[in-house]
Amino acid sequence: VTIEKLKKRWSAWIEERMSFTRMLVADVRASKSAREVFDKVSTAFKQAEGTGEMAGIGRGLVCVYFLYASYEKFATYQLMQERVRMLGRRARVSKFQMMMAMPYLEWFTVLPACLLVTLNIAGRITAGYLLLYDAWYTYGVIGHLLYGRLELNELMVKKLAQFGCCCLLLASNLRDIVKNESVTGLLFAETPKMGNRKSALLLVSRLLLSVLFFFVGSRQLSRVIQRDISELFYGGVSARLGGLKDGHDNNWLLLEFLLAIPLAFGFKTVLTSRCLAATLLLEAFTCWPFWSALTFRPQHAASHFCTNLSCAGGLVL
């Protein structure tokens, strides 16, 4: 009976949204100018944000990062199993190491927390747990960077910015509990009345996301320019990669760098956040298609893809 009720509820919700989408498409087609189209689409987005569904989408996108992290840890465990099977005792992997490599923590705590926080069930507790989990992971990344075990590149900075997305995840749930309002626009404290904890979370998220886009722009600017020159005069870098596509060579990075300037100064924060979220999504699907046979280093591309979706979700929040 419960399953039937859920099916009916979801069917009614989907039918309502499809009807609204059809009406919006017909209304946009009847527009007489680009300005009228922009006004109608903007109004539709504002209405969607008012229902709380946009915040749910943002929370779900942030959780994509944790889903991929769980998969990545399980893949590492499988590689260790294969190494033990091939080398035996020469693999020098103890039973304790194998047990610790098994992603029990992710399966039994992180994945349920992702589901609950996406559905906004016990949001403050589950978002707080994900924040602590990511804080521990961020601590490990910083340690590896300081000791030179990892290179400070675009992917590492994205993973550090993920901590800011987790701060936004917790802040959005705190906001919903207090006044049942959207956290949209609070990224830079545009609404002055808020508690110290929320202010601190939003400040940390703002700084980390700004650092991400400035780093990407400054570090990758010369790379993109060299890529464009190579495409123009020497046939491109794809020839050196055997025809494979390297997602690092994309011009979305330049747009992200430009949008980071108003983001850092708090100018038109809602519009800027939406544009950055859209840019990250476009970069993910056009530059990091890990499912394609033509993608260079598909596992690395999958990590970029999921991290882009997660950062876009934080900007939606």
Side-chain angles (χ1 to χ4, degrees):
V1 175
T2 304
I3 293 175
E4 289 298 325
K5 287 182 178 179
L6 288 174
K7 284 183 178 179
K8 290 180 179 179
R9 185 180 300 178
W10 277 105
S11 298
W13 182 84
I14 293 173
E15 181 60 31
E16 182 183 355
R17 295 300 175 267
M18 291 298 294
S19 177
F20 175 78
T21 303
R22 286 192 293 266
M23 291 174 59
L24 176 62
V25 171
D27 200 17
V28 169
R29 284 182 176 179
S31 302
K32 298 180 180 179
S33 64
R35 179 65 183 179
E36 189 176 354
V37 172
F38 177 79
D39 291 339
K40 290 177 179 179
V41 174
S42 299
T43 302
F45 271 103
K46 289 179 181 178
Q47 291 177 354
E49 289 175 355
T51 61
E53 293 168 3
M54 191 68 73
I57 293 173
R59 291 192 296 266
L61 288 175
V62 171
C63 290
V64 169
Y65 173 82
F66 296 101
L67 298 179
Y68 182 77
S70 302
Y71 163 77
E72 203 171 29
K73 190 169 183 180
F74 181 67
T76 302
Y77 171 77
Q78 288 182 314
L79 287 175
M80 291 179 66
Q81 271 190 326
E82 185 66 19
R83 183 181 178 188
V84 171
R85 189 183 68 83
M86 296 291 294
L87 300 177
R89 292 184 178 180
R90 290 180 298 168
R92 296 182 179 180
V93 178
S94 65
K95 292 183 178 180
F96 177 76
Q97 288 176 317
M98 290 294 296
M99 184 182 67
M100 293 300 294
M102 193 70 174
Y104 293 115
L105 180 67
E106 286 74 14
W107 286 351
F108 295 110
T109 62
V110 175
L111 295 183
C114 289
L115 177 62
L116 291 174
V117 79
T118 301
L119 299 176
N120 204 19
I121 300 173
R124 182 163 53 179
I125 297 173
T126 51
Y129 175 75
L130 291 176
L131 179 63
L132 291 176
Y133 176 84
D134 191 69
W136 176 252
Y137 179 82
T138 303
Y139 171 77
V141 170
I142 293 175
H144 286 305
L145 290 173
L146 291 177
Y147 285 101
R149 301 190 189 102
L150 291 174
E151 179 187 356
L152 185 62
N153 54 25
E154 179 189 352
L155 182 58
M156 289 298 105
V157 176
K158 281 183 179 180
K159 291 187 174 182
L160 293 177
Q162 174 63 28
F163 184 74
C165 296
C166 292
C167 291
L168 284 169
L169 190 65
L170 179 58
S172 66
N173 282 279
L174 289 174
R175 190 62 178 173
D176 290 337
I177 291 171
V178 175
K179 288 188 177 181
N180 195 27
E181 294 177 359
S182 173
V183 77
T184 303
L186 298 183
L187 186 61
F188 305 99
E190 291 180 345
T191 302
K193 295 181 180 180
M194 62 174 63
N196 293 330
R197 287 182 298 176
K198 277 184 288 187
S199 298
L201 289 171
L202 296 171
L203 177 61
V204 170
S205 64
R206 173 189 177 181
L207 292 176
L208 287 174
L209 288 170
S210 297
V211 166
L212 163 64
F213 294 117
F214 278 124
F215 177 86
V216 166
S218 60
R219 186 73 178 269
Q220 300 292 341
L221 184 60
S222 60
R223 177 189 178 98
V224 171
I225 292 174
Q226 290 175 4
R227 189 282 313 270
D228 291 341
I229 294 175
S230 177
E231 290 283 352
L232 183 62
F233 296 103
Y234 304 106
V237 294
S238 59
R240 299 199 303 269
L241 299 176
L244 299 178
K245 180 180 179 180
D246 189 355
H248 295 96
D249 299 312
N250 72 84
N251 290 326
W252 294 115
L253 303 174
L254 303 179
L255 182 57
E256 291 168 11
F257 176 73
L258 294 176
L259 289 172
I261 298 174
L263 181 75
F265 289 99
F267 178 75
K268 298 288 185 181
T269 55
V270 175
L271 179 61
T272 304
S273 298
R274 295 294 178 268
C275 291
L276 276 169
T279 304
L280 284 170
L281 291 174
L282 288 171
E283 181 194 348
F285 284 98
T286 59
C287 301
W288 303 109
F290 61 92
W291 56 87
S292 173
L294 298 178
T295 300
F296 180 64
R297 297 172 62 192
Q299 186 175 359
H300 181 73
S303 185
H304 270 283
F305 180 86
C306 295
T307 311
N308 268 38
L309 293 187
S310 184
C311 290
L315 288 165
V316 168
L317 292 174

